[in-house]
Amino acid sequence: MATPVLREPTYFILAALLDGPLHGYAIAQSARELSGGAVDPTAGTLYGALDRLAGQGLVEVDREEVVSGRRRRYHRLSDRGREVLVDEAARLRAAAEVVQRRAAGVNPSPSLPLQRKARLA
Amino acid sequence: MTDRVIDRLLLNCLRAYPRARRERDGEVLLSLARELSAGGSSPWGEGAGLVRGGVAERLRLRYRGVRGLFRADHRRLRALSRVFRTNPNRSGLGDAAGRGHAGLGLADAPEAPHTVRARPLAPGGRRAACGGALGARPVRRTEQRRPWGRAYRRPVRPRLLCGDQVRSASSPRSCRSATRCHRFRHRRSCRGASPTQRPSVRGCLGGGGRRGFSSSPR
């Protein structure tokens, strides 16, 4: 299966789930903290993203609970989701390194494409 | 804004989602929106997010090419979709949605220059697009195909008068067939009324001669 492209909200939503199963509100809070406020998903955005990620097999529904009259659905990261997230982090790190080296005046002359280099790292 | 008002707002916005989705996940989604709004997020923002998510869901169900909704100013919209520019109504929305960019700056249309704005606001345009997205009643083709710039007239529905035969309908009928007589505002047929009450017996019975009512009883 092709590796899905992760946009910034999706990336931080998956990153929030690295700690374990979380419900929607906790995911939104965690994503906001991890992104430094750059990602502030609304209920519709978060729900749509989780639904799409579940369809791609990156996220699984863990359980449902009713807390103080409110139904909460917990999601957890699947093995494939963890793998995709780690790959994406490595790709971003490699891309950042290219810019940082060039900005520092070092010519890196990368011999491998970024995607492949990130996977080998 | 009180909790009750917020609940009503979010509940109404939740209706943008398809019914099947609402029945399956509506409670979870509503709880999440309530928690986020109670946690400091704007209820209006949460409501808008629900509407956007619901419309995107409906569009995805109907047009498989749609990935989601995004906001676009009118210039970008025109650049993205020439189809929608030339045909800004429901079918145009469908064409544009089939190409993967729907949603389409409808909210931004009023910000466009006047000459451009006139098109989406033309009869059957913006309303039809929104209606199509939300699954509302489709707009008549006569409204869709009317050229822009021409004076718009609402299509006149034929009024059924006592004794009139509706020849354009699939089955001819008169006012006796439990149809409201528009001139005299009575629901039942005037067949059983006294001669002074029924203005035109022949007309009511559909018995040829002059159709409709005369002003004085005969």
Side-chain angles (χ1 to χ4, degrees), chain B:
Chain B
M1 193 180 278
T2 62
D3 289 346
R4 189 179 171 188
V5 175
I6 292 174
D7 284 352
R8 293 301 304 173
L9 170 69
L10 296 177
L11 193 61
N12 283 325
C13 292
L14 188 69
R15 290 180 181 158
Y17 280 87
R19 179 187 294 270
R21 183 55 66 108
R22 282 203 310 267
E23 288 173 353
R24 199 184 72 185
D25 301 328
E27 200 176 343
V28 174
L29 194 51
L30 197 59
S31 298
L32 176 59
R34 282 173 183 158
E35 276 187 303
L36 286 172
S37 61
S41 182
S42 163
W44 294 106
E46 293 300 327
L50 289 178
V51 170
R52 195 172 64 169
V55 172
E57 179 87 20
R58 284 182 187 269
L59 284 171
R60 268 197 297 271
L61 284 177
R62 181 154 187 170
Y63 308 106
R64 294 189 176 180
V66 174
R67 293 187 299 270
L69 297 179
F70 61 90
R71 292 188 66 183
D73 58 13
H74 208 86
R75 290 178 190 277
R76 189 181 171 206
L77 178 65
R78 288 177 62 178
L80 283 173
S81 175
R82 297 180 64 188
V83 177
F84 191 78
R85 183 185 63 180
T86 53
N87 188 17
N89 53 29
R90 191 183 182 204
S91 60
L93 176 73
D95 293 340
R99 297 180 183 200
H101 34 78
L104 298 179
L106 285 174
D108 293 339
E111 299 166 8
H114 177 71
T115 52
V116 181
R117 185 176 63 211
R119 285 179 177 163
L121 292 180
R126 195 171 172 213
R127 183 188 63 182
C130 293
L134 295 174
R137 180 184 68 85
V139 176
R140 293 184 177 197
R141 287 204 170 270
T142 53
E143 294 180 27
Q144 289 181 7
R145 290 182 177 175
R146 185 167 291 277
W148 309 120
R150 190 177 293 181
Y152 173 70
R153 289 182 182 176
R154 183 180 290 276
V156 179
R157 295 181 64 182
R159 306 179 87 193
L160 190 67
L161 302 178
C162 281
D164 283 352
Q165 298 290 326
V166 184
R167 297 187 185 281
S168 61
S170 58
S171 61
R173 55 185 181 165
S174 69
C175 73
R176 282 178 290 169
S177 56
T179 308
R180 182 181 179 128
C181 171
H182 284 278
R183 181 171 291 180
F184 286 90
R185 309 289 182 197
H186 57 83
R187 288 190 178 277
R188 292 182 301 177
S189 166
C190 49
R191 190 176 187 179
S194 65
T196 54
Q197 289 175 325
R198 57 186 181 197
S200 169
V201 175
R202 285 187 358 193
C204 277
L205 296 177
R210 177 177 181 181
R211 297 204 178 279
F213 285 97
S214 60
S215 57
S216 60
R218 278 175 283 179

